[in-house]
Amino acid sequence: MPPTVAPEALARQREYAALVRELLADRFGRPPAAYVRTYGCQGNEADGERMQGMLAEMGFSFCEDPAGADFVLLNTCAIRGHAEDRALGNAGRLKSLRQGSGTMRVALCGCMPQQPHMAEKLRAHYPFIDLLFGPHAVHRLPELLYRMYTTGRRVTDTADEPGSIAEGLPLRRGSAFKAWLPVMYGCDNFCSYCVVPFVRGRERSRTPEAILAEACALVSAGYRDITLLGQNVNSYRSEDYDFPKLLRELDKLDGDFRLRFMTSHPKDCGPALLDAMAEGAHIARHLHLPVQSGSDRILREMNRKYTSEQYLEVARYAREVMPDLSLTGDVIVGFPGETYGEFQETLALVEQARYTSLFTFIFSPREGTRAAAMPDPVPHEEKVRRFRELTALQESIAKQKCASMIGQAERVLCEEKGKRLALAGRTGGNQIIEFDGPESLIGQFAQVKITQAKNWLLDGEIYM
Ligand code: SAH
Ligand code: SF4
Ligand code: F3S
């Protein structure tokens, strides 16, 4: 059984929320303003939407600029050093804002403070942060705010936990037509470079009933694009459901919507999942399948549990059953001890996989992970050089792929105003395309024919 937070514990949080609401109404005589900034993955975005829901319940309004805020919440990511540096930089800038404001309180949450060394650093060097908590404490936000406001002292909630599932939290979604739908949390894979299993706890899945009910409500409310989320979304397991079965059930919902999911791990991406995708009426032909490296030795060192050949076989079968599939991936360049020859194996794999787009990262050592302790003789400049070589290769592939799409018709979700043409939207394959049309189409699907490809930018026109 997944460790679900008891309804009584959640009811207690609602009582705290009511207390905070009263306390702040007395103190401010107006709705206090919250500024919330989320870094990192979509799972963190989904947490951010829940925290905003709880803040709204506590009477907060929301502002776009931390300068005018009574409460600032930085929801951080620890995946690479760069993500942490950005959040620390922004946190540092809050120091003087907080001093200049009579009311501002600052909270830092998410994956960064869940690491003991980082919690310690924040406590020691960022004394103006009033509240520090990790992903396991998200549903306890009302209680944490109550303690912060009533004691006037710093509050911390970053203890290590296997993690739980809190159902029924209030939600303030960032969009009226695109939604994140978490289906599982945590990770048990312990890839040797990765901090996620340490900060997000053990793998646990929501029940199919909870997921189907949320999806049903989203479709009835007019949501057009629903992304099922999990660090290893395809390792989903609850009751007698595995991920392919969950997908097939969700696909049966009636309505004008598109389903996506991320991130899939290649080790759990078998024919059952790819067949369910291919046979689905609502499932976007988009598979995000990080490979990380094309070298089998590096994949072993990374603890990825597949070989490059097995990965390419997944991609081959996926395209056999979905010839129009858009495959995207992630690659880490410069894993400790990666030789130039091993890097060339990554280039060769990228040539064969023909990704629509590829997210490339230079290895960043994460304290406490196995890879951080491995000897790493390759100089940073050489890693940067490899990184550039890889991105240049991928750019040329993306360019060719885009050029080959001219004349093709795509069902596009219109999302926002365009930069070059009136509207911008996304294809089922998750490619951005611009086209002219009325703003009233935002949030709707349109049939768009691709007319031009400028490198990897697509232009089109609405037809029918
Ligand atoms: N659960 C997903 C994604 C995890 S994080 C998966 O298993 O693929 C997103 C990406 O960040 C990873 O796919 C990886 O490419 C990259 N990443 C993770 N840890 C990293 C590190 N220490 N240094 C550089 N890139 C990293
Ligand atoms: Fe990190 Fe690996 Fe888990 Fe992905 S599968 S979150 S890369 S440990
Ligand atoms: Fe970052 Fe945490 Fe997501 S480390 S990528 S925000 S799980």
Side-chain angles (χ1 to χ4, degrees):
M1 278 296 285
T4 306
V5 180
E8 309 81 65
L10 289 177
R12 210 161 50 243
Q13 292 304 324
R14 288 221 131 111
E15 287 166 18
Y16 276 116
L19 291 173
V20 173
R21 192 185 177 100
E22 261 175 53
L23 187 150
L24 294 182
D26 275 356
R27 195 173 289 188
F28 289 101
R30 59 173 168 84
Y35 169 83
V36 180
R37 168 90 191 263
T38 294
Y39 305 81
C41 62
Q42 291 86 351
N44 223 28
E45 295 274 347
D47 280 352
E49 293 184 338
R50 278 160 184 80
M51 290 191 281
Q52 292 204 28
M54 288 183 267
L55 289 171
E57 198 170 76
M58 288 183 267
F60 282 91
S61 64
F62 295 91
C63 58
E64 299 294 318
D65 181 359
D70 302 300
F71 181 60
V72 175
L73 181 62
L74 299 183
N75 184 21
T76 63
C77 169
I79 200 79
R80 286 172 290 275
H82 178 66
E84 293 193 326
D85 294 344
R86 257 190 338 145
L88 288 176
N90 288 338
R93 277 190 281 284
L94 292 171
K95 184 179 179 178
S96 59
L97 278 184
R98 189 188 180 288
Q99 269 165 1
S101 145
T103 58
M104 185 187 287
R105 294 291 173 272
V106 175
L108 192 143
C109 67
C111 295
M112 265 173 77
Q114 192 61 47
Q115 310 165 95
H117 77 276
M118 188 53 81
E120 207 176 299
K121 173 172 173 172
L122 289 162
R123 270 198 296 269
H125 301 295
Y126 293 75
F128 56 92
I129 296 180
D130 304 282
L131 171 59
L132 276 174
F133 62 101
H136 301 310
V138 162
H139 64 280
R140 292 192 286 268
L141 180 61
E143 179 178 353
L144 297 172
L145 281 191
Y146 181 78
R147 282 167 47 202
M148 180 186 83
Y149 280 117
T150 52
T151 63
R153 282 200 301 271
R154 170 186 283 176
V155 174
T156 307
D157 188 345
T158 54
D160 191 24
E161 285 183 26
S164 55
I165 297 176
E167 288 295 354
L169 294 180
L171 251 170
R172 181 173 181 267
R173 293 193 191 272
S175 159
F177 52 87
K178 281 180 80 163
W180 309 124
L181 204 178
V183 303
M184 56 86 69
Y185 304 94
C187 180
D188 288 348
N189 288 328
F190 290 93
C191 300
S192 61
Y193 50 82
C194 183
V195 75
V196 171
F198 300 95
V199 292
R200 289 273 163 174
R202 302 286 57 78
E203 246 171 59
R204 54 212 183 268
S205 295
R206 293 176 73 188
T207 63
E209 292 76 28
I211 296 164
L212 282 159
E214 188 171 338
C216 203
L218 286 169
V219 172
S220 313
Y223 278 85
R224 304 279 180 221
D225 191 292
I226 300 175
T227 306
L228 311 178
L229 294 181
Q231 281 298 346
N232 306 275
V233 73
N234 54 336
S235 322
Y236 175 87
R237 187 159 286 281
S238 175
E239 299 165 12
D240 62 338
Y241 275 68
D242 58 6
F243 191 63
K245 183 168 173 188
L246 181 70
L247 262 190
R248 286 185 190 271
E249 284 304 307
L250 289 164
D251 188 56
K252 287 182 193 155
L253 291 176
D254 236 353
D256 192 16
F257 70 97
R258 189 153 78 183
L259 267 181
R260 309 177 180 277
F261 53 92
M262 68 190 302
T263 296
S264 300
H265 194 297
K267 78 177 165 52
D268 296 317
C269 201
L273 168 54
L274 300 168
D275 291 344
M277 259 182 104
E279 288 160 28
H282 295 286
I283 304 170
R285 297 285 206 255
H286 172 212
L287 182 62
H288 183 58
L289 197 65
V291 66
Q292 314 300 3
S293 170
S295 147
D296 290 341
R297 186 188 77 84
I298 295 290
L299 286 171
R300 253 190 332 271
E301 291 290 307
M302 287 177 161
N303 193 27
R304 286 294 286 183
K305 305 180 181 91
Y306 53 82
T307 62
S308 57
E309 196 182 311
Q310 285 164 336
Y311 180 92
L312 286 169
E313 173 52 24
V314 174
R316 189 205 59 76
Y317 184 77
R319 286 193 166 118
E320 180 185 318
V321 293
M322 293 173 281
D324 55 346
L325 180 78
S326 161
L327 184 70
T328 58
D330 296 347
V331 165
I332 297 178
V333 172
F335 185 82
E338 178 195 70
T339 63
Y340 187 68
E342 286 164 342
F343 168 68
Q344 283 177 314
E345 294 181 68
T346 298
L347 294 176
L349 183 135
V350 167
E351 286 262 20
Q352 280 183 274
R354 303 203 69 73
Y355 295 105
T356 311
S357 59
L358 185 66
F359 299 90
T360 42
F361 309 103
I362 293 182
F363 169 75
S364 168
R366 306 283 70 214
E367 193 162 321
T369 61
R370 208 152 54 73
M374 293 178 184
D376 191 1
V378 178
H380 184 70
E381 309 77 69
E382 168 60 13
K383 294 187 182 190
V384 172
R385 221 195 48 69
R386 291 181 195 175
F387 178 85
R388 293 211 181 108
E389 195 175 340
L390 176 59
T391 48
L393 169 65
Q394 175 56 32
E395 271 175 27
S396 76
I397 294 171
K399 200 167 152 177
Q400 289 164 21
K401 285 192 83 112
C402 285
S404 74
M405 290 175 78
I406 294 175
Q408 218 165 290
E410 293 278 341
R411 192 164 139 84
V412 172
L413 178 62
C414 308
E415 296 190 358
E416 58 194 352
K417 287 191 202 169
K419 292 195 180 83
R420 289 163 290 123
L421 301 174
L423 296 172
R426 275 178 197 265
T427 64
N430 214 29
Q431 280 171 288
I432 297 174
I433 179 163
E434 299 210 0
F435 46 97
D436 283 322
E439 258 181 56
S440 57
L441 274 180
I442 292 178
Q444 308 292 329
F445 287 111
Q447 284 295 127
V448 178
K449 185 174 274 171
I450 299 170
T451 51
Q452 269 204 66
K454 295 172 197 143
N455 293 328
W456 52 92
L457 299 175
L458 295 175
D459 285 354
E461 56 193 33
I462 294 182
Y463 74 101
M464 289 199 315

